[in-house]
Amino acid sequence: MFSASEASSSSMDALNLAVNSTSAAEAASFWVLGTIAVIGALGTVLLRKAVHSALCLAGTMVILALFYLANGAYFLGIVQIVVYTGAVMMLFLFVLMLVGVSAADSLKETLKGQRWLALACGLGLGALLISGLGQASITSFTGLGAANADGNVPALASQLFTKYVVAFEVVGALLTVAAVGATLLTHRERIEKSKSQREQAEERVRANKHLPPLPAPGVYARHNAVDRPGLLPDGTPSDLTVSATLLSRGQVREVGPEALHRVAVLEQRTADSHGQTEHGRMYGEPHDPDRDVDDADDEGRGSGREAREARQDAREEEATK
Amino acid sequence: MSPVNYVYLAALLFTIGAVGVLIRRNAIVVFMCVELMLNAANLTLVAFSRIHGNLDGQIMAFFVMVVAAAEVVVGLAIIVMLYRSRHSASVDDASLMKL
Amino acid sequence: MESLIGLLVGFPLLGAAVLLCGGKRLEKTGHWLGVVLAGASFVLGAVLFFDMLGKSADERALHQHLFSWVPVESFQADVAFQLDQLAMTFVLLITGVGTLIHIYSVGYMEHDERRRRFFGYLNLFLAAMLLLVLADNYLLLYVGWEGVGLASYLLIGFWQHKPSAAVAAKKAFLVNRVGDAGLAIAIFLMFTTFGSFAFAPVLSNATEAGEGKLTAIGLMLLLAACGKSAQVPLQSWLGDAMEGPTPVSALIHAATMVTAGVYLITRSGAIFNAAPDAQTVVVVVGAVTLLYGAIVGCAKDDIKKALAGSTMSQIGYMVLAAGLGPIGYAFAIMHLVTHGFFKAGLFLGAGSVMHGMNDEVDMRRYGGLRKYMPVTFVTFGLGYLAIIGFPGLSGFFSKDQIIEAAFAKGGTQGWILGAVTLLGAAITAYYMTRVMLMTFFGEERWRGQANEPHPHESPKSMTIPMIVLAFGSVFAGGLFKIGESFVHWLEPVTQFEHGHSPLSAPVVTGATVVTMLIGVGAAWLQYGRRPVPAEAPRGSLLTRAARRDLLQDDLNHVALVLPGEYLTRGLVYVDNKVVDGAVNGTAAAFGGLSGRTRRLQNGFVRSYAVSMFGGAAILVAATLLMRAV
């Protein structure tokens, strides 16, 4: 599209390589897409949740890919989409999931003056760069019409495999090393033999504790309930029902009073229909028809972070000891 | 419109990325901001490639991408390790110093 | 014979080294070693003396070059000795009186557990004093000068457990430092003027230097003499120096060390002869001290301090005589020698009295002691007659000569000096009679005291030296006077001129005897005829001032100590606030800066990133700036 117009204009002015301005269509697309790219970049920096940041970044990268295309770098444009938005961003998201999706940064700055320094440095550098560019006063440009005459990919390839072949090979080696390095870094050596299912079962019998499999989570929850503990018969949540990983991350949601209320209402309803009123008293909840089951909502949203902070406090105490 | 505008845009993105590196605490987001800076640099290279009419800029951008990919792999592995040992992805938590 | 001179110094030096380093093994016998070595030095001195007598006057001076001490270019400091008539006189006086006092000390210090150390110090003193008088250059003299100062300090403070003794020692040392500085400066001046500080080149070339320079050197030498010989204005230490053991007072602070100033002036006679202004100052200092010491001596009730005042006064006579030039040098030395005998005798007598009186020094608690200690009484009495100038005794001859020489100075000066010396003679007679009467005559005021003493004669080891010194007191003067033998003996060194007195010699002698009798009579009227009160009466203003040494300490306090204190305080303040303030301030500044800088390394990777980013921004700015320029 833009590239086509650019290519045609460059073919028209094949003899006069230097031109002063791009097409109006490219200018329009630059302003629109550029704005979006800046917004995406700002979103990357400013949004609290890492996932949102990643999405914003992906958007910016796609737009950059378009700009590459507009600048005659067809190969790079495609590679940008494949490698960055495809591979790299996926890798980011993988790690995000591993680390915890819901882990959101608090906006409170802990380092004194860090934010102001950062802003000052950023504004200073930006001003410098832009003023430097302004001084450069490039009024005309050559365009890639001649360079891309045989197509962008063959032109790149002919350079890459001749002039830059050593660098290319070295970079290939670098990639291999990086892959091996990443594997090594994340690899955890098993120091004992992993237990077989049979051994685990025998161990459980010997310990005489939880002979059956662990109870399932989220018995009464309405959400995707892996992170919500099941309730014991007396209504207290049981940690056994949720994954230890979620517990240690503090991403387990509490069963709030609303949920308990809801349980009580359900019980009451069941009791009413069976004529057994005594059972509902167990929860100490009189029947209240105003509080409808459907209105009850999650209350444990902040609990994840609170739990994490509590855990951090405990760790600090341990460190000071 | 002059292609220099792409360079202006790249400078803007680079600055935003740099500020992000400085103010975000989540290591993954910091890393994303670094990627943003690298991309801004790439945009500069591509724009200059066009302005000067040769492909060296694109080749350079290509290498930057490859190296960035390698860097992302290693960097994310490091973040995972950090998370394992500290149970947090905050770069501030990596400090063991007394205040 | 020359090669033996060094041994004069060597014997006592060996004694000092052995006694001070020997430790407890020498506790029993060490003092005898000290006596023997002092005696050996005296015997050697006597041998050299008789050898010297056998030669003609011009060949008498001996010279021994021991070794080159500091041979640097034109600065040639040698350890070399010169034994001429003047030095010989001193050698005999020092070793003779010194040996006697060593013997005396054996008895006097019998009960002191640090006797060995005492004898070590005494020997050290002898060695230093002999070095002082035997040196053939001013630098070596300076070594001896400081050595006697050190020995004096150690011996005054020998009973250092008494705070008063420790303070007195410190005072003596400090006041002496002032004089020593004078001597040092004089030596510097000599070196710059003459290119040498050996006696021979300096003294033979003295007339060639400018009078201004000679006056400066002379005044500095006088300052040195004032310090060592307790002359006004550096006299304040001598009274307090009586805190030392009495033999020390006798040897160092009466007979020998305090006369070193007179030796120095006499030795440097050639310089003073060529600098009349300096000579005038010397005479004035001598005259003032003469009266000062005499007045102080009249008021003191402490027998040793009265004698100390007398010492000052008598040295005043000597300095005055030395200031008169060639007409007086010989008499100064003559009086020095006779004074060495009778004053040492008097001090030893005083020590003997104290020994018998439980170390009581207040004369108002004495009285009537002649019955209990006859030997002491007789020897002390002979010394007394000698010092007041009783006709025929040694003090008479020497003092009479000085008075004559003072008149012979000529002009108004001569009359004034003659009058002063005559007045001094009267006062001398007065205070010595007072001492005599209060101690040996009158009521026995010591009876009925809480701690009543049992006066008794001292042991032989103490009385024998006193007897020998008494002989010296009686006969030395006459011996020297016969045929002017002493004057002729010294003439090759000091040059002698006959002064032309406006009064004939018999008149002066008559006047001297009359004034002496007046002084004795006045004292008898006051202390002989009437009973002496056991407690000191309030006394007149002059008496009270004299009891306080004519306010010398108060003067020093106001004029020197207080400004010094203020200066010190000011300097301490400056040191604390300005110097330390600057140093500590710098340290604190760096500390604070470090504290701030330390915070830069806070472990937060983002802080480091800001630094990096800021640095990058600055680099970009620098690059752009370079482009723009």
Short mmCIF file of all heavy atoms in Angstrom, two decimals, chain A residues 145-164:
data_model
loop_
_atom_site.label_atom_id
_atom_site.label_comp_id
_atom_site.label_asym_id
_atom_site.label_seq_id
_atom_site.Cartn_x
_atom_site.Cartn_y
_atom_site.Cartn_z
N GLY A 145 14.64 3.29 -3.59
CA GLY A 145 14.24 2.80 -4.91
C GLY A 145 15.34 2.05 -5.60
O GLY A 145 15.14 0.92 -6.07
N ALA A 146 16.52 2.62 -5.61
CA ALA A 146 17.62 1.98 -6.30
C ALA A 146 18.07 0.73 -5.57
O ALA A 146 18.30 -0.32 -6.17
CB ALA A 146 18.78 2.96 -6.42
N ALA A 147 18.18 0.85 -4.23
CA ALA A 147 18.69 -0.27 -3.45
C ALA A 147 17.76 -1.47 -3.50
O ALA A 147 18.20 -2.62 -3.50
CB ALA A 147 18.90 0.17 -1.99
N ASN A 148 16.48 -1.17 -3.52
CA ASN A 148 15.49 -2.24 -3.52
C ASN A 148 15.06 -2.64 -4.93
O ASN A 148 14.03 -3.29 -5.10
CB ASN A 148 14.26 -1.83 -2.71
CG ASN A 148 14.49 -2.04 -1.23
OD1 ASN A 148 15.47 -2.69 -0.85
ND2 ASN A 148 13.61 -1.50 -0.41
N ALA A 149 15.82 -2.23 -5.91
CA ALA A 149 15.40 -2.45 -7.29
C ALA A 149 15.15 -3.92 -7.58
O ALA A 149 14.16 -4.28 -8.22
CB ALA A 149 16.45 -1.89 -8.24
N ASP A 150 15.99 -4.79 -7.04
CA ASP A 150 15.81 -6.23 -7.28
C ASP A 150 14.98 -6.88 -6.19
O ASP A 150 14.96 -8.10 -6.03
CB ASP A 150 17.18 -6.92 -7.30
CG ASP A 150 18.01 -6.43 -8.47
OD1 ASP A 150 17.39 -5.95 -9.44
OD2 ASP A 150 19.25 -6.48 -8.38
N GLY A 151 14.29 -6.09 -5.44
CA GLY A 151 13.52 -6.63 -4.32
C GLY A 151 14.34 -6.50 -3.05
O GLY A 151 15.57 -6.59 -3.06
N ASN A 152 13.60 -6.24 -2.00
CA ASN A 152 14.28 -5.94 -0.72
C ASN A 152 15.01 -7.15 -0.17
O ASN A 152 16.16 -7.08 0.26
CB ASN A 152 13.24 -5.44 0.29
CG ASN A 152 13.85 -5.16 1.64
OD1 ASN A 152 13.54 -5.83 2.60
ND2 ASN A 152 14.75 -4.17 1.68
N VAL A 153 14.37 -8.32 -0.18
CA VAL A 153 14.97 -9.50 0.44
C VAL A 153 16.25 -9.92 -0.27
O VAL A 153 17.28 -10.13 0.39
CB VAL A 153 13.94 -10.65 0.52
CG1 VAL A 153 14.58 -11.88 1.13
CG2 VAL A 153 12.74 -10.21 1.31
N PRO A 154 16.25 -10.03 -1.61
CA PRO A 154 17.51 -10.40 -2.27
C PRO A 154 18.61 -9.37 -2.01
O PRO A 154 19.77 -9.75 -1.79
CB PRO A 154 17.14 -10.43 -3.75
CG PRO A 154 15.68 -10.64 -3.77
CD PRO A 154 15.13 -9.98 -2.57
N ALA A 155 18.22 -8.09 -1.99
CA ALA A 155 19.24 -7.08 -1.74
C ALA A 155 19.86 -7.25 -0.36
O ALA A 155 21.08 -7.21 -0.16
CB ALA A 155 18.60 -5.69 -1.86
N LEU A 156 18.99 -7.45 0.64
CA LEU A 156 19.48 -7.68 2.00
C LEU A 156 20.37 -8.92 2.06
O LEU A 156 21.45 -8.92 2.64
CB LEU A 156 18.30 -7.87 2.96
CG LEU A 156 17.73 -6.61 3.59
CD1 LEU A 156 16.61 -7.01 4.55
CD2 LEU A 156 18.81 -5.86 4.35
N ALA A 157 19.84 -9.99 1.43
CA ALA A 157 20.57 -11.25 1.49
C ALA A 157 21.95 -11.11 0.88
O ALA A 157 22.93 -11.61 1.43
CB ALA A 157 19.76 -12.34 0.77
N SER A 158 22.00 -10.40 -0.27
CA SER A 158 23.30 -10.29 -0.94
C SER A 158 24.31 -9.54 -0.06
O SER A 158 25.50 -9.85 -0.07
CB SER A 158 23.14 -9.58 -2.29
OG SER A 158 22.75 -8.24 -2.03
N GLN A 159 23.80 -8.62 0.73
CA GLN A 159 24.72 -7.94 1.66
C GLN A 159 25.06 -8.83 2.84
O GLN A 159 26.20 -8.92 3.29
CB GLN A 159 24.06 -6.66 2.17
CG GLN A 159 23.88 -5.63 1.10
CD GLN A 159 24.48 -4.30 1.52
OE1 GLN A 159 25.32 -4.27 2.41
NE2 GLN A 159 24.09 -3.24 0.85
N LEU A 160 24.01 -9.45 3.40
CA LEU A 160 24.15 -10.24 4.62
C LEU A 160 25.12 -11.38 4.43
O LEU A 160 25.93 -11.69 5.32
CB LEU A 160 22.77 -10.76 5.02
CG LEU A 160 22.53 -11.04 6.49
CD1 LEU A 160 22.87 -9.81 7.33
CD2 LEU A 160 21.08 -11.43 6.70
N PHE A 161 25.08 -11.99 3.28
CA PHE A 161 25.91 -13.19 3.09
C PHE A 161 27.23 -12.86 2.42
O PHE A 161 28.00 -13.77 2.13
CB PHE A 161 25.14 -14.25 2.31
CG PHE A 161 23.95 -14.74 3.09
CD1 PHE A 161 22.67 -14.58 2.62
CD2 PHE A 161 24.14 -15.36 4.33
CE1 PHE A 161 21.59 -15.01 3.36
CE2 PHE A 161 23.06 -15.79 5.06
CZ PHE A 161 21.77 -15.61 4.58
N THR A 162 27.47 -11.63 2.16
CA THR A 162 28.80 -11.28 1.63
C THR A 162 29.53 -10.36 2.61
O THR A 162 30.42 -10.80 3.33
CB THR A 162 28.66 -10.57 0.27
OG1 THR A 162 27.78 -9.46 0.43
CG2 THR A 162 28.11 -11.50 -0.78
N LYS A 163 29.03 -9.15 2.64
CA LYS A 163 29.71 -8.16 3.46
C LYS A 163 29.61 -8.48 4.95
O LYS A 163 30.57 -8.33 5.71
CB LYS A 163 29.07 -6.80 3.17
CG LYS A 163 29.86 -5.60 3.63
CD LYS A 163 29.15 -4.34 3.14
CE LYS A 163 29.67 -3.08 3.78
NZ LYS A 163 28.82 -1.93 3.42
N TYR A 164 28.46 -8.94 5.39
CA TYR A 164 28.23 -9.12 6.83
C TYR A 164 28.22 -10.58 7.25
O TYR A 164 27.65 -10.92 8.27
CB TYR A 164 26.91 -8.48 7.23
CG TYR A 164 26.92 -6.97 7.07
CD1 TYR A 164 26.30 -6.35 6.00
CD2 TYR A 164 27.57 -6.16 8.01
CE1 TYR A 164 26.32 -4.97 5.85
CE2 TYR A 164 27.59 -4.79 7.87
CZ TYR A 164 26.97 -4.19 6.79
OH TYR A 164 27.00 -2.84 6.66
#
